[in-house]
Amino acid sequence: MERDREHVRSAFDGWKYRHYFQFDSVKTANVDSTSDGPTASKQVKIDIKPAGLGAAELKKLVAGYVVEEMLPISTVDSESFRRIIDKIPIKSGVRLPQRKSFSEYLEREYDIMNSYLKATLEEGKTFFLGVTVHWINSTLQRNKAALACKRIKGSHTFDVIGAEIEEIHSTYGLHGKVVATVADNASNFAKAFRVYQSCDLESESEKEDDEEEPTFTDVINVLSAPSTEGQVSLPPHYRCASHTINLISTSDVEKHLNSSAETKSVYRSSMAKCSALWTKASRSTLAAEQVEEISRRKLMVPTSTRWNSLYEAISRILTIPSNELNPMCVKLGIKCFTEKEYQFLKEYISVMKPLTVALDILQGDECPYGALLPTLTSLMSKTLALKDDLSKMTATLPDVIVKAIKTRFNAVLESQEGRLAAATCPKFKLRWLRDECSRVQVKELLITECRTTAAATAEVPQDSQTPASPDKMDFFDFEIQPRESFSAENEVTDYIRSGHELEILNQFPKVKKIYMKYNTPTPSSAPVERLFSLGGLVLSPKRNRLSDRRFEKLLLMRYNHCPVSTLKLA
């Protein structure tokens, strides 16, 4: 009887474990079909799967969703959201915390991210800072992170801006590591870097006059504010190339087109009709439907804060043939475009296209500073090549644009930093230079920089070893072999003759160091503009009680892809 009970219990346990575990397909050992031996036994592979998510995993997943999608923290209190969470297999007793506890969890995740970022930045040598920080690691991979997005109350004077940047540098231990700071051309930013920058580090780009975007200072605030003279030290300032090109495509071009009577009339009339079309299509749903019915696309409306928007908006209008555009204008109650105006817009877009292509290149996150001079060189040559295809209305426009580029980028075109950055980019090397004399000059500049780098990183000679003690005989007292001396000329020559892949720099250690030093900055402040655009999604009208500090933390966690489990900083 006892034996029967043991047999039943054994059979039940086998049934229980067979249904608790998930079995993979049964694998049978290979057996020779001609063999008369016994059949090989079956080998079972057991795959034990977890019963459900733990508390830490659940919070991490929900935090990633809230941060990445920029949702309010009160999402975790939503009944509909909790009903979705209840459908996820979780371990017994695990519950998603309420808003207060979840906020504390996000605070801890932010502190972890901040500590991780500080530790990563401590390992580097040089950085570019513009509230976002960019660096290149030893494998030549570009990295970026957001450091701050602070709200500055009161007057945005140069001393206030300088003090804020200094504080960010101190927080992350970046003093002496920042190669350059890229900012727009506002005079308060330019003055902050000019006043608080050491004379020996002063960027050549700051020597030009600050004639644009004047700012007005509240004298009472300046006199009552504590003095920061001698306390703030800022790195060199590079003006944003994208902002400068945008000024050329708007201010300089508009000034020229309004300078003569012939171009002024056609320019103003054509732009006025384009503006009327944009206004009508954006304010009337019926007009928007009529435009979309004819053009099969919606019109784009230009905005002053987005570069290239005017070009893209006019290009969208010109996709509509003139024989369809004017009937559409009649339906909308707008003046029709004359043949001369339509032709002017086509030539205007043709001349402006190289500028927009250059803007797209320089605004890329992966664009190194070394791309600036080759881009400007190609921009000028491609713009001048358009002259033969233009009518009298726009024939002088290419010359005006090239002259504006040379004027606004005068210091950059002659800067050693820009030339070294371009020359150490394998994609460009010396190919962007138009004459042999310039190529020889830049090559000599690179050789000189290689010598300086080699001298600064010289290793201790092998023959300067610690002498042996008197009681020990140097049994193998052979003549010391002379070390092979470094030749900057050979390394630079071999580098110029090598391929164009970025990885080729690993074969030339001195050139690689120069590349990492001068190409760490980006030529544009577009990464900061993207940070601000994310800020608009976080600080929505429904979240008007969000504190400044909470707003900054959520924004930085979103930009840096936090929680820290998903943060990958090489």
Side-chain angles (χ1 to χ4, degrees), residues 260-386:
S260 66
E262 183 179 2
T263 57
K264 180 178 180 179
S265 60
V266 67
Y267 170 68
R268 289 193 170 185
S269 61
S270 58
M271 288 299 176
K273 292 176 182 179
C274 287
S275 180
L277 188 57
W278 295 323
T279 302
K280 193 77 172 182
S282 60
R283 294 183 180 179
S284 169
T285 55
L286 180 61
E289 291 173 357
Q290 292 176 340
V291 170
E292 192 171 358
E293 181 181 352
I294 295 175
S295 64
R296 293 172 292 278
R297 300 174 72 183
K298 293 182 179 179
L299 293 182
M300 299 179 64
V301 180
T303 58
S304 58
T305 58
R306 192 170 65 84
W307 301 317
N308 281 355
S309 62
L310 179 62
Y311 170 85
E312 293 169 355
I314 297 177
S315 298
R316 183 66 61 87
I317 292 178
L318 293 179
T319 58
I320 307 174
S322 58
N323 59 345
E324 297 180 6
L325 179 61
N326 283 334
M328 182 181 71
C329 291
V330 172
K331 289 184 179 180
L332 299 178
I334 300 173
K335 292 183 179 180
C336 297
F337 289 84
T338 65
E339 184 178 349
K340 185 177 181 180
E341 291 168 343
Y342 193 83
Q343 181 64 26
F344 169 80
L345 290 176
K346 290 179 66 176
E347 293 183 8
Y348 173 83
I349 290 301
S350 174
V351 176
M352 300 300 289
K353 184 175 182 179
L355 283 167
T356 62
V357 174
L359 270 174
D360 290 338
I361 293 172
L362 297 176
Q363 290 178 151
D365 281 337
E366 299 298 320
C367 181
Y369 191 74
L372 178 56
L373 289 185
T375 300
L376 294 177
T377 303
S378 296
L379 172 59
M380 289 187 285
S381 63
K382 292 184 180 300
T383 301
L384 291 175
L386 298 171

Side-chain angles (χ1 to χ4, degrees), residues 89-149:
I90 56 178
K91 293 180 180 179
S92 177
V94 173
R95 294 284 296 170
L96 182 65
Q98 298 292 331
R99 174 178 179 172
K100 183 177 180 180
S101 299
F102 191 73
S103 298
E104 295 173 354
Y105 170 76
L106 286 179
E107 290 285 341
R108 293 193 297 271
E109 285 291 302
Y110 173 81
D111 292 337
I112 294 173
M113 179 205 73
N114 208 25
S115 301
Y116 191 88
L117 183 56
K118 288 180 180 179
T120 302
L121 298 180
E122 286 177 0
E123 299 173 1
K125 299 292 184 182
T126 55
F127 297 93
F128 147 72
L129 181 70
V131 183
T132 59
V133 63
H134 301 248
W135 69 98
I136 302 174
N137 62 17
S138 57
T139 61
L140 301 175
Q141 179 183 1
R142 296 190 67 89
N143 298 269
K144 67 174 181 177
L147 298 185
C149 187

Side-chain angles (χ1 to χ4, degrees), residues 443-460:
K443 182 178 178 180
E444 289 298 324
L445 181 64
L446 182 56
I447 291 173
T448 303
E449 188 72 13
C450 269
R451 288 199 190 100
T452 305
T453 304
T457 60
E459 299 177 352
V460 179

